[in-house]
Amino acid sequence: MKNKETEIMSLGSAFEVVEEQPQASAATAPRPPAGAPTGPTPLRKSVSGGSIGLLIALAGLMSPYGAPQYQGVAALAIALLVWNLVSSGLARVKPTSTALKPFGPALAMVAGALGIAFQEGSGLLGGILAVVGGLLAIAAPAIHKGADAKLPPAPPDAPVDEQFSKSFLAYMLVLISLPMAWANGEGSSGLATYLGVITFLCCVLGLWASWAGMWKMWSMPAVTSGMLGLVLFLAPVEAVLLGLFGVARVAMGAKAPSILANAWPGEGAQDLLQYGLPALLTLVGGGYAGYELFHGAKKGLAANKAKQEAEVASRKAARATRRGDAPANADGNKEKSAKPNKK
């Protein structure tokens, strides 16, 4: 206590004590593993060029279509193009270096060619754009192969949840086919009934839930909540019922019961290709979404059951260890531990 009587001198208000943590030097900073990318993932020309082709084809198919009798083919192509963009194109949440799948662009070219061949009114330009965009998307890997070869090796793509990805495509089929004509009269789309509007609402929610589930986003708890979970179970059932009614209305024609004829008041004969295909897409989309939902729920129950069985086995093993018992062998019998002989 020698400094007990020492006078403490004031430093004045011009001095300030600043507490700082020591900064790690560059020598002690952790280094990335060998071969790991040190910057943002470079954008592959095949992905960007192919996605631009998809967008051109999408714009062409969503323009006035020249062949209304093939509107179902155009609707299917639109659903596939959007699905390609969000799962493997520029609309992905996480980067990719994998080339686009050619099925969607090929179908866009077919739909565009049908619009040109059976052109009515002002749908010629839309068909041309669909063909050109689909061709650019298919040819993108070959066109940009040299430019992509100069880029460093790309890291493996982040996986997409397959169940939610397929559900996204299923709901797209329903949403794109509902606004189309289901009969040859005014106001005869799939949204002409209360069931059609409710189905559209539920499928919009299902599409968003599938988008969040594809990438396990921060909003996943809302997808698995009670109210939205009930909507996801109702949407496929409503789509199947609505599509089944629409197909029956077109197939039965004048013999259709009044409840169906009043819902879609067609005039004269109903063309099965023109008016039946949109309803069939709704039916197929609802059935596909229901299958994926049931299959995913079944897998989830099996995983939970396996987890519970593992937890029970772990607790039994812990109790056996505390009692000093030997664990059970594969035959279910306890192994006898060797005991020292008493002399």
Side-chain angles (χ1 to χ4, degrees), residues 22-342:
Q23 298 181 354
S25 62
T28 60
R31 296 181 178 180
T38 57
T41 302
L43 178 61
R44 260 55 186 176
K45 288 286 187 180
S46 57
V47 176
S48 61
S51 298
I52 291 173
L54 293 181
L55 291 171
I56 294 174
L58 187 63
L61 293 177
M62 297 184 71
S63 302
Y65 189 60
Q69 63 270 35
Y70 296 105
Q71 62 172 348
V73 180
L76 179 58
I78 290 172
L80 287 172
L81 293 181
V82 174
W83 177 65
N84 281 342
L85 283 170
V86 301
S87 62
S88 56
L90 287 182
R92 273 176 59 106
V93 172
K94 298 179 181 179
T96 179
S97 59
T98 305
L100 296 167
K101 297 178 177 62
F103 184 73
L107 187 60
M109 294 178 63
V110 172
L114 291 173
I116 295 173
F118 300 94
Q119 185 260 332
E120 297 178 7
S122 59
L124 179 62
L125 182 57
I128 294 174
L129 290 177
V131 173
V132 172
L135 185 60
L136 287 176
I138 292 177
I143 295 175
H144 304 290
K145 183 177 180 180
D148 289 346
K150 299 177 182 178
L151 298 175
D157 289 353
V160 181
D161 189 282
E162 289 296 329
Q163 177 197 346
F164 282 107
S165 177
K166 295 175 182 177
S167 297
F168 186 96
L169 176 59
Y171 288 123
M172 273 300 306
L173 290 175
V174 178
L175 291 176
I176 201 63
S177 59
L178 283 179
M180 293 188 169
W182 286 27
N184 57 354
E186 293 294 333
S188 300
S189 70
L191 298 175
T193 64
Y194 290 122
L195 179 59
V197 176
I198 295 174
T199 302
F200 192 83
L201 168 63
C202 293
C203 288
V204 167
L205 295 174
L207 187 75
W208 169 82
S210 301
W211 168 250
M214 285 172 63
W215 306 106
K216 298 296 184 288
M217 294 182 176
W218 63 273
S219 53
M220 275 296 292
V223 177
T224 56
S225 64
M227 183 178 296
L228 187 56
L230 179 61
V231 171
L232 296 181
F233 275 95
L234 288 176
V237 177
E238 295 171 349
V240 168
L241 289 177
L242 186 65
L244 188 61
F245 292 157
V247 172
R249 165 70 180 93
V250 178
M252 298 176 70
K255 298 180 181 180
S258 58
I259 187 174
L260 297 181
N262 292 335
W264 299 286
E267 300 173 359
Q270 303 293 307
D271 184 81
L272 187 60
L273 178 63
Q274 181 173 353
Y275 303 114
L277 193 52
L280 182 61
L281 288 179
T282 298
L283 176 61
V284 172
Y288 193 26
Y291 168 78
E292 288 297 329
L293 189 64
F294 175 79
H295 187 62
K298 186 177 179 181
K299 288 177 60 178
L301 290 175
N304 289 335
K305 183 179 179 181
K307 182 179 179 182
Q308 292 175 358
E309 292 176 350
E311 291 176 352
V312 171
S314 177
R315 288 195 294 267
K316 287 183 178 179
R319 287 195 296 267
T321 302
R322 287 194 298 268
R323 291 196 304 263
D325 297 339
N329 56 20
D331 298 330
N333 301 321
K334 293 184 178 180
E335 298 176 355
K336 296 181 179 180
S337 58
K339 295 182 179 180
N341 295 328
K342 294 182 180 180

